[in-house]
Amino acid sequence: MKYNNIISTITGGINIITINRPKQLNALNKETISELSKEISISNSNPSIRCIILTGSGDKAFVAGADIKEFVSFTKSEGKKLAREGQKLLFDKLSNLETPTIAAINGFALGGGLELAMSCHLRIAVQHAKLGLPEVSLGVIPGYGGTQRLPALIGKGNAMEMILTGDIISADKALELGLINQVVAAEKLLEATIILAKRLMKNSPNSIKNAIKAINASDSSLKGFKEENLQFSLCFGTTDFKEGVAAFLEKRKPEF
Ligand code: CAA
């Protein structure tokens, strides 16, 4: 299939999907989310694809978040719809996918970018990767499941610190917290991710699917995801939101 924002390369039963908007640091606009959703569904229904790898184009960013320019003037109801649809099309779909998925984090994984990586079943990052959920500095909160998936991975206390400070952490710190599974040298990222994929692929696809379902059942609080969607939408149109996104676009620090 021909896409505008992603590239799919299938090799040895692995679909390597590259998000390809390097000038925007691979930020997730609506079209990219829709293309990823389509390609992931196609792969999942193809039994010869036994693992999906998601990565970003270039060496600077995996994904620098949801595309801020797309939602600057959104109302509360538009904000709510944006997050709800993104979750359904991509983030929840990935997290509950039967085919195992690995995020190969080649640089910044911020906001929706880290949420995308956390929706994958496993994560490998390069040494220079930077990870964080800086949404509160924009006057919003994580809206693609970050408030739920981050505490499930690193515990409530660490997640509170990361989300409330908006701090961006190193790959080594992310490894220490259990946010990622491995840190590798930049030139080894693809090779290391394929080695990990092959370690999964030698096992029963049926058991992998069942294990993913069982593991996810431990942290799938629908109440939490619903509350996130509500609180995310309530940020839109507020004075803080207007200041936060304006500051980003004007390349200055916000004043709250
Ligand atoms: N959305 C849209 N455009 C983005 C973007 C994003 N999330 N991140 C970067 N870009 C664009 C910049 O606007 C810039 O475009 P121009 O050249 O047209 O000005 C280009 O990518 C390069 O970015 P910078 O000039 O900012 O590069 P830098 O090296 O100075 O900084 C960075 C890199 C620290 C990653 C910085 O780009 C940044 O802070 N990005 C935003 C990170 C962020 O806040 N993400 C959360 C988004 S909100 C979200 O994801 C909500 C949700 O949960 C649903």
Side-chain angles (χ1 to χ4, degrees), residues 22-160:
K23 281 196 188 128
Q24 294 83 12
L25 305 188
N26 302 320
L28 294 174
N29 61 354
K30 234 178 144 183
E31 191 183 34
T32 307
I33 289 182
S34 156
E35 291 182 356
L36 283 168
S37 180
K38 274 192 203 123
E39 184 59 26
I40 287 160
S41 289
I42 293 169
S43 272
N44 194 47
S45 54
N46 178 351
S48 70
I49 308 256
R50 302 272 300 272
C51 186
I52 296 172
I53 294 174
L54 282 187
T55 194
S57 170
D59 55 12
K60 187 165 174 182
F62 171 68
V63 169
D67 192 322
I68 297 165
K69 289 163 194 162
E70 245 183 17
F71 62 64
V72 222
S73 52
F74 270 18
T75 60
K76 291 185 171 48
S77 67
E78 288 171 317
K80 191 171 195 145
K81 190 162 168 249
L82 172 87
R84 202 177 43 217
E85 286 184 352
Q87 281 277 51
K88 184 163 169 250
L89 279 173
L90 182 59
F91 297 81
D92 279 348
K93 180 190 275 193
L94 261 180
S95 169
N96 295 305
L97 208 72
E98 295 170 345
T99 310
T101 55
I102 308 175
I105 305 172
N106 53 306
F108 284 112
L110 301 178
L114 180 55
E115 290 174 300
L116 184 68
M118 289 193 292
S119 295
C120 291
H121 303 123
L122 296 164
R123 285 154 291 283
I124 300 190
V126 295
Q127 200 81 52
H128 71 265
K130 300 269 182 234
L131 303 90
L133 293 177
E135 282 90 341
V136 293
S137 70
L138 290 167
V140 278
I141 65 164
Y144 288 142
T147 65
Q148 306 304 300
R149 293 192 182 102
L150 187 64
L153 285 167
I154 66 172
K156 189 170 167 180
N158 288 321
M160 279 283 182

Side-chain angles (χ1 to χ4, degrees), residues 163-181:
I163 294 174
L164 302 189
T165 61
D167 281 355
I168 291 171
I169 62 170
S170 67
D172 285 335
K173 178 74 184 172
L175 183 67
E176 185 193 313
L177 289 171
L179 178 52
I180 57 176
N181 302 90

Side-chain angles (χ1 to χ4, degrees), residues 210-244:
N210 294 346
I212 290 171
K213 271 205 179 115
I215 295 166
N216 280 348
S218 70
D219 61 27
S220 62
S221 152
L222 286 178
K223 196 170 150 240
F225 283 102
K226 220 172 146 191
E227 187 65 27
E228 178 189 91
N229 187 250
L230 172 66
Q231 296 305 330
F232 177 76
S233 73
L234 292 178
C235 298
F236 282 76
T238 59
T239 311
D240 280 2
F241 175 78
K242 286 179 189 155
E243 168 60 10

